[in-house]
Amino acid sequence: MDRLRLQGGHALHGTVPISGAKNAALPVMAACLLTDKTLSLENIPNLTDIRAMLALLEALGVDCHADLTAHRLHLSARFVKNVTASYDLVRKMRASILVLGPLVARHGKARVSLPGGCAIGVRPVDLHLKGLEALGASITLEDGYICAEAPKGLIGGTVTFPVVTVTGTENILMAAVLARGTTILVNAALEPEIVDLAECLNAMGAKITGHGTFTITIEGVPVLKGTHHAIIPDRIEAGTYALAAMMTHGNLILKGRHLGQLLPSVFATFSQIGAHIDQKEDQVTLSSSMLRACDITTEPFPGYPTDLQAQVMTVLSLAQGSSIIRETIWENRFMHVAELTRMGADISVHGLTAVVRGVSELQGAPVMATDLRASFSLVLAGLMAKGETIINRIYHLDRGYEAVQDKLTACGACIERIPAE
Ligand code: UD1
């Protein structure tokens, strides 16, 4: 397995082009199953999770033309030959569950492996299944697979989510666009990736209103057409590089459309920590000369995202004073703490709360990446630590951060990928 080697202590200066959002691209790719016409996508990030979704779509019979170095895809689900998402494909990427809603909506049936647990928590899908049942699907669980059927098509209904679920909202939204009648999603997720999906679906001929609010209304239509859609920038990648600028007391220009609107509470939090932020329509400039402690609670959008919790913890480990970080979305998302502690951070965990006492420096060490966002928290630590840091198991990073070492090297970081022996 490849590893990353970092020499800490270099302030980052330069421009970082922010890639398309993985978490917007994956549901939009699954939406190709809703039409027999071609869906053309731009600004698709070149990541292993995208390749996993392409493999799944191909296994279902989708004709996929991908040029990921140009960030383009053409997807045509004219002939869907199979409605089964196998365990082998789903276990590699949990977002595979996103094919469930589209397959039932257009083909009347789907068989999708239950995703099971993962490093950051149990990750249930009960609300996806309840939502589909509310639209008339019958659901059974057989041999670890979700079997959903609606031979006469789905029927619009009201789906109330007891907790905010991003993937659940996306799955039911895609199912409802081809249902007969009106569907109302109550307590829907507000995430920008949901708005991006709804806009793509509307361009395909769907009738969705209210996306970006707690109540989404969908008037079902009989068929959808193809369209051309550009994915929004990755707000988590942007937030992560913003933290890299802060961590190293550097100055970075993050290039991407409307980043300020995608990260409202995040930039407010970063200002409290000590960042100077200058926002323009298609770029944000970020620098910082000192780091102050700050209390943070992860929340659904527009609150502080769980996907930036590990990274901000690293930055706060070098801040003046003590910070309290509460994780409210996932039950096991502090695995980076043990690794940061090995690098000299002073962090204690009490259930879903971490207390981070700022220290004056971190020391390089060999560490192990445990999940996607935790991996970058270790990269941030390595950027500022004294001496050398070796990060093992970086395949997690390749799932969600495009060209990490190229982007960081271009801004002055001393980082190198060591290929597997
Ligand atoms: C969640 C995050 C998303 C992040 C992603 C990967 C939120 C609201 N969602 O999205 O920002 O990008 O993880 O880290 O911040 N739940 C159920 N039953 C379900 C579905 C979800 O109980 O059927 C619960 C989960 O256990 C969790 C919460 O709802 O506590 C949010 O889950 P959900 O938004 O569905 O997860 P992701 O879509 O993976």
Side-chain angles (χ1 to χ4, degrees):
M1 272 181 258
D2 289 5
R3 292 172 291 160
L4 280 181
R5 177 165 35 215
L6 291 104
Q7 284 290 343
H10 303 272
L12 299 188
H13 292 277
T15 300
V16 182
I18 299 303
S19 298
K22 166 179 87 77
N23 288 349
L26 294 172
V28 167
M29 287 169 73
C32 80
L33 292 164
L34 290 163
T35 175
D36 62 358
K37 301 291 186 298
T38 301
L39 180 59
S40 298
L41 302 175
E42 269 184 38
N43 207 28
I44 296 284
N46 187 0
L47 299 169
T48 48
D49 268 13
I50 298 293
R51 286 191 280 279
M53 181 57 98
L54 281 172
L56 170 57
L57 293 175
E58 268 169 356
L60 299 176
V62 177
D63 193 11
C64 301
H65 289 275
D67 182 353
L68 285 181
T69 47
H71 303 112
R72 265 190 224 117
L73 290 180
H74 300 283
L75 306 172
S76 168
R78 193 154 169 222
F79 305 107
V80 169
K81 62 177 187 209
N82 148 32
V83 292
T84 298
S86 72
Y87 175 65
D88 251 12
L89 291 167
V90 176
R91 87 186 154 78
K92 281 192 197 130
M93 193 196 44
R94 309 176 45 77
S96 306
I97 190 77
L98 284 163
V99 301
L100 180 64
L103 282 175
V104 187
R106 179 157 153 238
H107 300 282
K109 60 181 175 181
R111 206 167 154 266
V112 177
S113 171
L114 271 168
C118 79
I120 61 173
V122 175
R123 304 193 90 162
V125 292
D126 55 313
L127 302 176
H128 302 228
L129 306 189
K130 284 191 185 128
L132 285 177
E133 280 176 336
L135 303 189
S138 71
I139 311 262
T140 50
L141 298 180
E142 289 166 22
D143 309 324
Y145 279 75
I146 302 160
C147 302
E149 287 201 19
K152 294 187 183 148
L154 295 170
I155 302 156
T158 298
V159 177
T160 304
F161 294 106
V163 294
V164 173
T165 157
V166 176
T167 320
T169 301
E170 289 163 348
N171 231 340
I172 306 308
L173 178 63
M174 287 191 279
V177 289
L178 290 180
R180 284 195 304 284
T182 306
T183 299
I184 300 177
L185 306 185
V186 181
N187 198 27
L190 309 181
E191 268 67 3
E193 293 75 20
I194 304 241
V195 175
D196 199 40
L197 172 65
E199 284 176 0
C200 177
L201 291 169
N202 278 345
M204 292 165 76
K207 292 191 177 159
I208 304 168
T209 52
H211 39 292
T213 76
F214 288 116
T215 308
I216 303 180
T217 304
I218 307 124
E219 300 286 343
V221 295
V223 285
L224 293 182
K225 56 187 186 196
T227 194
H228 189 282
H229 181 78
I231 299 295
I232 54 170
D234 193 321
R235 62 194 168 99
I236 303 302
E237 190 197 26
T240 303
Y241 282 100
L243 288 165
M246 292 161 67
M247 182 82 183
T248 63
H249 303 302
N251 183 316
L252 290 180
I253 300 169
L254 311 176
K255 287 267 185 199
R257 273 181 300 140
H258 307 304
L259 288 177
Q261 289 168 29
L262 297 174
L263 288 156
S265 65
V266 170
F267 284 154
T269 302
F270 291 177
S271 297
Q272 266 178 277
I273 296 174
H276 308 290
I277 303 174
D278 178 33
Q279 299 185 37
K280 301 221 163 59
E281 197 188 320
D282 61 355
Q283 71 176 48
V284 174
T285 307
L286 212 127
S287 63
S288 149
S289 46
M290 65 155 319
L291 301 171
R292 288 185 292 265
C294 180
D295 294 343
I296 295 174
T297 300
T298 63
E299 286 169 342
F301 190 84
Y304 191 92
T306 176
D307 283 351
L308 284 171
Q309 178 260 105
Q311 303 91 312
V312 81
M313 187 183 286
T314 302
V315 171
L316 291 174
S317 73
L318 286 180
Q320 281 174 18
S322 294
S323 309
I324 295 176
I325 300 182
R326 290 185 194 85
E327 171 60 53
T328 71
I329 309 292
W330 296 118
E331 64 270 25
N332 191 20
R333 212 166 192 185
F334 285 142
M335 283 177 299
H336 43 284
V337 169
E339 301 301 298
L340 291 175
T341 305
R342 294 186 58 247
M343 296 178 74
D346 182 355
I347 305 170
S348 50
V349 173
H350 313 271
L352 298 179
T353 301
V355 179
V356 186
R357 293 171 208 87
V359 294
S360 56
E361 66 175 32
L362 297 175
Q363 292 106 41
V367 286
M368 186 79 82
T370 48
D371 69 61
L372 167 55
R373 308 302 170 183
S375 307
F376 216 113
S377 74
L378 300 177
V379 172
L380 293 175
L383 286 174
M384 213 38 195
K386 253 191 153 168
E388 183 180 276
T389 298
I390 304 270
I391 307 179
N392 294 286
R393 293 211 184 148
I394 55 159
Y395 58 84
H396 291 293
L397 265 184
D398 298 333
R399 285 187 40 222
Y401 287 97
E402 185 171 354
V404 179
Q405 62 274 33
D406 295 349
K407 290 187 185 186
L408 286 174
T409 305
C411 298
C414 185
I415 178 170
E416 134 187 62
R417 197 177 178 111
I418 315 170
E421 279 155 22

